[in-house]
Amino acid sequence: MLRTTLLAASRSPRSRKLIEQLPPTRAIVKRFVAGDTLDEGVSVTDTLVGTGRRITLDHLGEDTTDAAQAAGTAEAYEKLLAALAETGLADRAEVSVKLSAVGQFLPKDGEQVALENARRICAAAAAVGTTVTLDMEDHTTTDSTLGIARELRADYPWLGVVLQAYLHRTEADCAEFSGPGSRVRLCKGAYQEPASVAFQKKSDVDLAYVRCLKILMAGEGYPMVASHDPRLIRVAGQLAAQNGRSADSFEYQMLYGIRPEEQERLIAEGNTMRVYLPYGNQWYGYFMRRLAERPANLVFFLRALATKS
Ligand SMILES: Cc1cc2nc3c(=O)[nH]c(=O)nc-3n(C[C@H](O)[C@H](O)[C@H](O)COP(=O)(O)OP(=O)(O)OC[C@H]3O[C@@H](n4cnc5c(N)ncnc54)[C@H](O)[C@@H]3O)c2cc1C
């Protein structure tokens, strides 16, 4: 119920205005977001790389319905990739892109615009020797996002895709994307989805995650285990061992600000750990999904509100 309310609020312009103006919001956002600017994104990347982490940077933004803004986001990624090269971070840091931020929802030719903008970002990544992963948004975008991924992979075979274990379709998608060279970031899924397309119970989502992981670990691609769930992290390690995978043939991934000690433990054990690091001022939707994932985050937020007022 709480999750549903928070996820509905994540798409409401009225709630957005209200929450963005609350005095303690900024301090709490800081826990999950590197900062507003490219310089802050690169600076936090540099610090985290110094601790043995790899990074995937997200220039925050989503649901764009303005073509100029979509092009501006592609340009922001080009600048980011150039900055990563200049600071010598491109071999440790890649980028994550939401297609809805680069035009997927534009009323006219949205998919084509998103494809072309994503192609610009892939070309910039290739030029500096790093990679791109396409984030996955709500289920109405899955076919379009995977279609664009297939087209881009013809030229950029290293392009990664995110698959969401909570969707009924995802086992089949894992099978399709588990071939040689394929990079799949497997997550549980963060959006409000109907029972017609997605598992609703946490235990069913967890079981689906394990089934998907089995397919990816047995496949010939590069699985990216995006979860903070201790049980699933254990299962991932066991499946990697059963499939004879070395530590450099898959990786763990977590969100910036969540379970940092576990990130360090996995690195100390010799694993690759990549942190998803968002930056930019369009943090509202991302922040609300983090609150929805964990009631304790909301309690913390409300407590901060109460002490300030
Ligand atoms: C690298 C990465 C990329 C992602 N990309 C996408 C994407 O493209 N599309 C998409 O739909 N989803 C994406 N997600 C989000 C994902 O779908 C889940 O919503 C999120 O990871 C929480 O699920 P969990 O696997 O950590 O398990 P959960 O069962 O939700 O959490 C397990 C434990 O992790 C900790 N935890 C989890 N979330 C939080 C939080 N917000 N704050 C504090 N502690 C927390 C808690 O200790 C919790 O008990 C991504 C996640 C990661 C790590």
Side-chain angles (χ1 to χ4, degrees):
M1 174 67 182
L2 186 59
R3 180 173 179 271
T4 308
T5 310
L6 287 167
L7 289 177
S10 76
R11 288 196 142 155
S12 150
R14 265 182 69 193
S15 309
R16 177 184 187 140
K17 224 171 151 196
L18 177 75
I19 302 233
E20 282 181 347
Q21 284 168 358
L22 290 172
T25 305
R26 280 276 154 164
I28 298 168
V29 168
K30 267 256 157 199
R31 179 182 157 193
F32 300 109
V33 174
D36 279 354
T37 64
L38 181 150
D39 283 352
E40 286 169 295
V42 173
S43 161
V44 176
T45 299
D46 193 29
T47 305
L48 292 175
V49 162
T51 64
R53 290 163 171 89
R54 310 250 176 131
I55 304 297
T56 183
L57 277 139
D58 168 25
H59 176 84
L60 284 166
E62 52 197 86
D63 298 351
T64 304
T65 50
D66 179 82
Q69 197 179 4
T73 300
E75 198 182 322
Y77 273 102
E78 287 170 336
K79 285 190 181 142
L80 167 63
L81 286 156
L84 291 175
E86 268 164 36
T87 45
L89 292 165
D91 62 336
R92 304 259 139 182
E94 63 136 40
V95 297
S96 287
V97 177
K98 283 189 175 48
L99 289 179
S100 80
V102 292
Q104 196 176 27
F105 292 170
L106 292 182
K108 194 164 173 289
D109 301 329
E111 269 191 39
Q112 195 55 32
V113 173
L115 172 63
E116 290 317 319
N117 280 330
R119 195 184 289 285
R120 269 173 67 181
I121 299 169
C122 287
V128 303
T130 190
T131 51
V132 178
T133 300
L134 296 183
D135 283 349
M136 192 59 81
E137 300 175 69
D138 73 55
H139 80 276
T140 62
T141 66
T142 312
D143 279 328
S144 158
T145 299
L146 292 183
I148 289 173
R150 284 183 201 101
E151 289 214 32
L152 290 172
R153 275 166 51 88
D155 293 325
Y156 304 103
W158 42 255
L159 177 80
V161 291
V162 175
L163 295 176
Q164 298 153 315
Y166 64 12
L167 294 183
H168 299 148
R169 60 177 287 164
T170 297
E171 275 179 75
D173 292 332
C174 285
E176 180 192 339
F177 283 89
S178 62
S182 186
R183 294 166 62 249
V184 174
R185 172 181 296 159
L186 182 65
C187 67
K188 287 188 187 178
Y191 296 80
Q192 186 62 38
E193 299 289 14
S196 53
V197 300
F199 298 107
Q200 304 291 306
K201 274 172 47 192
K202 179 178 159 40
S203 54
D204 288 339
V205 176
D206 291 355
L207 287 171
Y209 194 104
V210 174
R211 290 195 299 274
C212 290
L213 203 50
K214 280 185 176 165
I215 296 168
L216 296 175
M217 286 289 187
E220 296 171 277
Y222 183 82
M224 303 186 278
V225 183
S227 177
H228 316 90
D229 188 327
R231 276 207 309 176
L232 294 180
I233 290 167
R234 250 195 328 271
V235 170
Q238 286 161 359
L239 286 173
Q242 277 168 26
N243 286 283
R245 281 186 174 270
S246 56
D248 62 359
S249 70
F250 73 104
E251 68 185 47
Y252 296 97
Q253 299 190 338
M254 293 192 191
L255 302 176
Y256 177 63
I258 301 182
R259 303 202 69 206
E261 295 85 10
E262 177 66 0
Q263 295 171 15
E264 277 151 26
R265 187 190 69 80
L266 286 163
I267 294 168
E269 281 189 352
N271 297 292
T272 302
M273 160 55 62
R274 193 176 298 273
V275 169
Y276 186 103
L277 180 66
Y279 75 94
N281 56 16
Q282 303 288 309
W283 44 259
Y284 177 74
Y286 181 87
F287 174 65
M288 292 302 281
R289 289 194 292 279
R290 303 296 75 83
L291 289 190
E293 272 156 10
R294 199 163 184 243
N297 289 342
L298 183 66
V299 172
F300 183 62
F301 182 55
L302 294 175
R303 244 194 233 133
L305 268 185
T307 29
K308 285 268 175 180
S309 52

